Amino acid sequence: MSVENYTRLVGQQARQASSVMMTATTAQKNAALEHIAQALMANQATLQAENQKDLVAGRDNGLTDAMLDRLALNPERIAGMVEGLRQVAALQDPVGAINGMDYRPSGIQVGKMRVPLGVIGIIYESRPNVTIEAAALCMKSGNAAILRGGSEAIHSNQALAACVQAGLAAAGLPEHAVQVIDKTDRSIVGELIRMPEYVDVLVPRGGKGLIERIANDARVPVIKHLDGICHVYVDVEADLAKAQSIAVNAKTHRYGVCNAMETLLVHSAVAVQLLPLLAQDYAEKGVELRGCAATQAIIDCLPASPEDWDTEYLAPILAIRVVNSMTEAMAHINTHGSHHTDAIVTENYTRARRFLAAVDSSSVMVNASTRFADGFEYGLGAEIGISTDKIHARGPVGLLGLTSEKYVVFGDGHIRQ
Amino acid sequence: MSVENYTRLVGQQARQASSVMMTATTAQKNAALEHIAQALMANQATLQAENQKDLVAGRDNGLTDAMLDRLALNPERIAGMVEGLRQVAALQDPVGAINGMDYRPSGIQVGKMRVPLGVIGIIYESRPNVTIEAAALCMKSGNAAILRGGSEAIHSNQALAACVQAGLAAAGLPEHAVQVIDKTDRSIVGELIRMPEYVDVLVPRGGKGLIERIANDARVPVIKHLDGICHVYVDVEADLAKAQSIAVNAKTHRYGVCNAMETLLVHSAVAVQLLPLLAQDYAEKGVELRGCAATQAIIDCLPASPEDWDTEYLAPILAIRVVNSMTEAMAHINTHGSHHTDAIVTENYTRARRFLAAVDSSSVMVNASTRFADGFEYGLGAEIGISTDKIHARGPVGLLGLTSEKYVVFGDGHIRQ
């Protein structure tokens, strides 16, 4: 079968399965999740043996140690997937909830019902546990899923897919509700992203390059997660103890994550007091500092170049800029940021409100670390990704982001006059 | 200036204006709407003189009478636009509303704030009053707008644009908050739909061909309104008096509208009783009937071809099919419908609930005419269009559909552990 025909067949099967998943009961979906969890536990040996094939091939193909680590399925990671499935089963089922059934002057009663999107395509790279996370979230939200993992994880993903199929079958749900692509042809992605008749939305998970390529070529809506250039602005009326701990936490809690601070903006009136304290903290953590001229006049650091303001380091490097007003800080954030997560540290009520309204980012915070921008921290239970888009869903995307709302109208024989 | 540079300049100006509109107060936005209304009234003579140029050119270019009628700006239509502006001013401002600020175990408080999308591009055909409707909805929802009307309405739209500019200026809002493209080069649309850096979402309003072309070529998210193949299913337990009035209203209230019924599905157990009554009603209204074999056995009508089930007539023509179960009816709707608006007529509670859950359309109704699927009837105040998409917004799109939600986090110096 040609790649095109194969991909279209997968799409048709997903579309058919989605009409069953749309009305599957919460009990059925939770039963399937539990059966998958049990299948993972029962098949640990197989999963590890198949994973071993990927690890051997990966080593032969020159994958780095970090990549091999992400690829590995050890007993702790399998336990983590089992735990994740049970967490998703415990989440409230969003499907079918009806809200705001208000009467209109005509006499009809109108509200909205939460419904699945239909078929979700997920394109991801090495970590095989994404297969289980994505399958669980799509199933619980009543969607069918087409999962396309990296070729380096093909054996692991197929072994995981067998567990998912077994769980779906045991719960009486269609096996095509979750399909894991079993071919490694790169052209499958090209087909998958151009089938709006079979795929309702794409969620690419991986590097910025992959996501930009997909967004550029797709004919299907894409929930994108591009870069995270996050800021903390320390206001003239900041509590400097809070500012210090937030600035340290936002930068140093973890470096390689999208919600880490990349640029610190400090009001000139507090910079002389705050920056030396922070410089000492960052020095202890081994963070390289790159400052504007005003920063360099206060602390010892490298000079920041214009490129620094637009860079997502994902590393122990921090750009620092002294600003003369909150307006200047907000202009910097809206110009150089990536509209991901930005925080203000201030005790001033009016400026906190203004910052919240005027900073155009998916998460805006007052007196809290940017590191909180996360599906688990926000109480979504789990996240399929973090959206830096503006339409449909912004910020961490959980079950609700995989649903939409349709209008429901109740009448009693009402006709339009 | 090249078309590309011109369009990019418009985009840059819109992006800048959107950052001001994002935090404009409700009072400012309402003042601008009222000033535009006053400008329309004060400039009636100019508006009609400019419109006359378009009408003369249209007649020379062979526009049909129907097209010329849509193009005409008479005093009633100007009064209608004034009324529309005041209705939008009276609507609740959605921007800035914060919902669900819940405390999390970490101690942070997390909720969502409603925010404008940014820059909305609207591409539309002949009716010049869309210029005012679209400008009003985009402004009230805190967005900047780029409006591209049809070349046949260029003089009318520029005269309306002058009133909009005057209103924005009088309220102290940026003149680029609403830009009406003043060139007729067709290639401008091609540029506009490929500038994700300046345009956040596109709303094409016009024929299916225009919308499909735009959706196919766009690099910017599109809120699409494709066809409306709407159904009424009369169940075995229908109240036949309700069924009769709903079936007549859904087909004959207006013919050329997307929420008119195009196919009637009747359960075989009630077809013999209902169809002769309906055939008489439709005959009086001059509606041509095209039936399946079972329908033809009951009433005198033309035979329906397979294409009839997939056709949006927008005309006094109705396809009728007799089905043996609700399952068969729902399969027909989900296969042949356009996921726009579908209704069931039944007194049975369980089947009504099942129909609501399993019919995958943007509006699903019980015992009401499909003609109610409309922004005004639903209480949205006004609509920018009706979405047949699944992500972001389904069904009539009002002010809320031109906004999104961002996360807001309140802390007290909280850091992630």
Side-chain angles (χ1 to χ4, degrees):
Chain A
M1 198 183 317
S2 72
V3 162
E4 187 187 339
N5 287 345
Y6 167 81
T7 316
R8 296 189 74 80
L9 177 64
V10 167
Q12 285 160 5
Q13 290 168 344
R15 181 61 78 208
Q16 282 187 330
S18 87
S19 72
V20 179
M21 291 302 287
M22 188 167 72
T23 54
T25 64
T26 308
Q28 271 182 303
K29 295 185 287 191
N30 288 348
L33 293 169
E34 177 58 27
H35 283 299
I36 297 170
Q38 287 172 13
L40 292 181
M41 288 189 295
N43 291 285
Q44 294 218 32
T46 312
L47 290 171
Q48 289 186 265
E50 293 299 309
N51 182 240
Q52 196 56 41
K53 295 182 191 170
D54 289 332
L55 290 171
V56 168
R59 230 169 264 126
D60 290 350
N61 292 326
L63 293 193
T64 64
D65 284 351
M67 290 161 96
L68 289 169
D69 177 60
R70 285 210 298 276
L71 187 52
L73 280 185
N74 54 37
E76 294 78 49
R77 289 208 176 142
I78 295 173
M81 290 189 283
V82 168
E83 172 64 17
L85 285 160
R86 289 176 175 160
Q87 281 176 358
V88 172
L91 292 176
Q92 168 97 26
D93 186 345
V95 176
I98 299 180
N99 280 300
M101 292 298 301
D102 290 330
Y103 278 95
R104 296 288 307 149
S106 64
I108 60 169
Q109 197 178 2
V110 182
K112 285 183 161 186
M113 179 190 280
R114 197 156 279 283
V115 290
L117 290 174
V119 177
I120 318 276
I122 318 253
I123 298 161
Y124 53 105
E125 290 170 341
S126 56
R127 293 192 310 119
N129 41 339
V130 171
T131 306
I132 297 298
E133 286 173 23
L137 286 168
C138 291
M139 285 165 57
K140 182 71 184 240
S141 53
N143 292 290
I146 301 174
L147 309 180
R148 158 67 187 211
S151 57
E152 69 284 0
I154 185 78
H155 294 98
S156 312
N157 284 336
Q158 290 307 313
L160 292 167
C163 297
V164 172
Q165 301 296 323
L168 285 164
L173 290 173
E175 58 170 337
H176 294 135
V178 177
Q179 295 177 84
V180 181
I181 300 284
D182 60 3
K183 293 184 190 295
T184 56
D185 307 60
R186 304 202 88 192
S187 55
I188 287 176
V189 171
E191 296 294 331
L192 197 57
I193 67 178
R194 288 163 174 274
M195 303 195 303
E197 61 278 39
Y198 300 127
V199 180
D200 294 297
V201 65
L202 290 165
V203 186
R205 290 180 54 157
K208 191 179 175 185
L210 171 81
I211 295 171
E212 281 184 331
R213 269 199 315 281
I214 287 174
N216 213 35
D217 294 341
R219 291 286 171 278
V220 174
V222 181
I223 294 179
K224 287 190 293 295
H225 175 196
L226 298 174
D227 40 8
I229 303 179
C230 303
H231 301 76
V232 174
Y233 163 61
V234 180
D235 184 49
V236 57
E237 286 190 51
D239 175 322
L240 294 189
K242 291 176 188 168
Q244 189 178 352
S245 64
I246 288 170
V248 171
N249 184 261
K251 182 70 240 180
T252 70
H253 184 258
R254 272 181 75 186
Y255 295 109
V257 289
C258 60
N259 57 15
M261 168 177 66
E262 304 292 16
T263 301
L264 174 68
L265 302 167
V266 182
H267 194 283
S268 52
V270 297
V272 174
Q273 200 181 339
L274 180 66
L275 286 179
L277 300 172
L278 279 175
Q280 196 175 335
D281 291 335
Y282 289 130
E284 283 167 15
K285 304 271 188 182
V287 176
E288 175 185 316
L289 303 182
R290 302 183 185 178
C292 67
T295 302
Q296 288 182 280
I298 300 169
I299 58 169
D300 189 26
C301 65
L302 297 169
S305 70
E307 293 74 44
D308 280 301
W309 312 129
D310 300 312
T311 301
E312 183 182 24
Y313 300 117
L314 296 172
I317 304 172
L318 177 69
I320 304 180
R321 183 172 169 187
V322 173
V323 294
N324 292 310
S325 66
M326 184 172 86
T327 303
E328 198 182 325
M330 295 195 304
H332 180 104
I333 291 170
N334 284 335
T335 307
H336 299 285
S338 64
H339 307 284
H340 188 297
T341 300
D342 299 289
I344 184 173
V345 184
T346 191
E347 297 299 309
N348 183 290
Y349 164 86
T350 299
R351 274 203 294 283
R353 292 219 321 151
R354 213 178 117 215
F355 189 89
L356 284 175
V359 170
D360 185 24
S361 299
S362 69
S363 287
V364 188
M365 304 184 170
V366 181
N367 294 347
S369 169
T370 55
R371 284 285 292 129
F372 283 110
D374 173 286
F376 286 96
E377 293 294 335
Y378 284 180
L380 307 183
E383 65 184 30
I384 197 96
I386 295 185
S387 165
T388 53
D389 286 324
K390 290 187 162 189
I391 80 159
H392 188 63
R394 293 186 81 171
V397 178
L399 287 180
L400 280 188
L402 299 179
T403 66
S404 184
E405 286 184 307
K406 69 183 181 191
Y407 284 95
V408 163
V409 176
F410 293 155
D412 192 37
H414 286 83
I415 59 172
R416 183 131 170 222
Q417 300 302 326
Chain B
M1 201 182 319
S2 71
V3 163
E4 187 187 340
N5 287 345
Y6 167 80
T7 316
R8 296 189 73 81
L9 178 64
V10 168
Q12 285 159 4
Q13 289 168 346
R15 180 61 79 207
Q16 282 187 330
S18 87
S19 72
V20 179
M21 291 302 287
M22 187 168 71
T23 55
T25 64
T26 308
Q28 271 182 304
K29 294 185 287 191
N30 288 348
L33 293 169
E34 177 59 28
H35 283 299
I36 297 170
Q38 287 173 12
L40 292 180
M41 288 188 296
N43 292 284
Q44 295 220 31
T46 312
L47 290 171
Q48 289 186 267
E50 292 299 308
N51 181 242
Q52 197 56 41
K53 294 182 191 169
D54 289 331
L55 290 171
V56 168
R59 230 168 266 126
D60 290 349
N61 291 327
L63 292 193
T64 64
D65 284 351
M67 290 162 95
L68 289 168
D69 177 60
R70 284 210 299 276
L71 188 52
L73 280 185
N74 53 38
E76 293 78 50
R77 288 204 177 148
I78 295 172
M81 290 189 283
V82 168
E83 172 66 16
L85 284 160
R86 289 176 175 161
Q87 281 176 359
V88 172
L91 292 176
Q92 169 97 23
D93 186 344
V95 176
I98 298 180
N99 280 299
M101 292 298 302
D102 291 329
Y103 278 95
R104 296 288 306 149
S106 63
I108 61 170
Q109 198 179 2
V110 182
K112 286 183 161 187
M113 180 191 279
R114 197 157 280 284
V115 290
L117 289 174
V119 177
I120 318 277
I122 318 252
I123 298 161
Y124 53 106
E125 290 171 339
S126 56
R127 292 194 309 120
N129 42 338
V130 172
T131 306
I132 297 297
E133 286 172 22
L137 286 168
C138 291
M139 285 166 57
K140 182 72 184 240
S141 53
N143 292 290
I146 301 174
L147 309 180
R148 158 67 188 212
S151 56
E152 69 283 3
I154 184 78
H155 295 97
S156 312
N157 284 336
Q158 291 307 314
L160 292 168
C163 295
V164 173
Q165 302 296 324
L168 285 164
L173 290 173
E175 59 170 335
H176 294 135
V178 178
Q179 296 177 84
V180 181
I181 300 283
D182 60 2
K183 293 184 188 296
T184 55
D185 306 61
R186 304 203 87 192
S187 55
I188 287 177
V189 171
E191 296 294 331
L192 198 57
I193 68 178
R194 289 164 173 273
M195 303 195 304
E197 62 277 40
Y198 301 126
V199 180
D200 294 296
V201 65
L202 291 164
V203 186
R205 291 180 52 155
K208 191 180 175 185
L210 170 80
I211 295 171
E212 282 183 331
R213 268 200 314 281
I214 287 173
N216 213 34
D217 294 341
R219 292 286 170 278
V220 175
V222 181
I223 295 179
K224 287 190 293 295
H225 175 196
L226 299 173
D227 40 8
I229 303 179
C230 303
H231 302 75
V232 173
Y233 163 61
V234 180
D235 185 49
V236 57
E237 286 190 50
D239 174 323
L240 293 188
K242 292 176 187 168
Q244 189 179 351
S245 65
I246 288 170
V248 170
N249 185 261
K251 182 70 240 180
T252 71
H253 183 258
R254 272 181 75 186
Y255 295 109
V257 289
C258 59
N259 57 14
M261 169 177 65
E262 304 293 16
T263 301
L264 174 68
L265 301 168
V266 182
H267 194 284
S268 52
V270 298
V272 173
Q273 199 181 339
L274 180 66
L275 286 179
L277 300 172
L278 279 175
Q280 195 176 335
D281 292 335
Y282 289 132
E284 282 167 15
K285 304 271 188 180
V287 176
E288 175 186 316
L289 304 182
R290 303 183 186 178
C292 66
T295 302
Q296 288 182 281
I298 301 169
I299 58 171
D300 189 26
C301 65
L302 297 169
S305 70
E307 293 74 45
D308 280 301
W309 311 130
D310 300 313
T311 301
E312 183 182 24
Y313 300 117
L314 297 172
I317 304 172
L318 176 68
I320 304 180
R321 183 173 168 188
V322 173
V323 294
N324 292 310
S325 66
M326 185 173 84
T327 303
E328 197 182 323
M330 294 194 305
H332 180 103
I333 291 169
N334 284 334
T335 307
H336 299 284
S338 63
H339 307 284
H340 189 297
T341 299
D342 299 289
I344 183 173
V345 184
T346 190
E347 296 300 309
N348 184 290
Y349 163 87
T350 298
R351 273 203 295 283
R353 292 219 322 150
R354 214 178 116 217
F355 189 89
L356 284 175
V359 170
D360 186 24
S361 300
S362 69
S363 287
V364 188
M365 304 184 169
V366 181
N367 293 347
S369 168
T370 56
R371 283 285 292 131
F372 283 110
D374 173 285
F376 285 97
E377 293 295 334
Y378 283 0
L380 307 183
E383 66 185 29
I384 196 94
I386 296 185
S387 165
T388 53
D389 286 323
K390 290 186 162 189
I391 80 157
H392 188 64
R394 292 185 82 171
V397 179
L399 287 180
L400 280 189
L402 299 179
T403 66
S404 184
E405 286 185 307
K406 70 183 180 190
Y407 283 96
V408 163
V409 176
F410 293 155
D412 192 37
H414 286 82
I415 59 172
R416 184 132 171 222
Q417 300 303 324

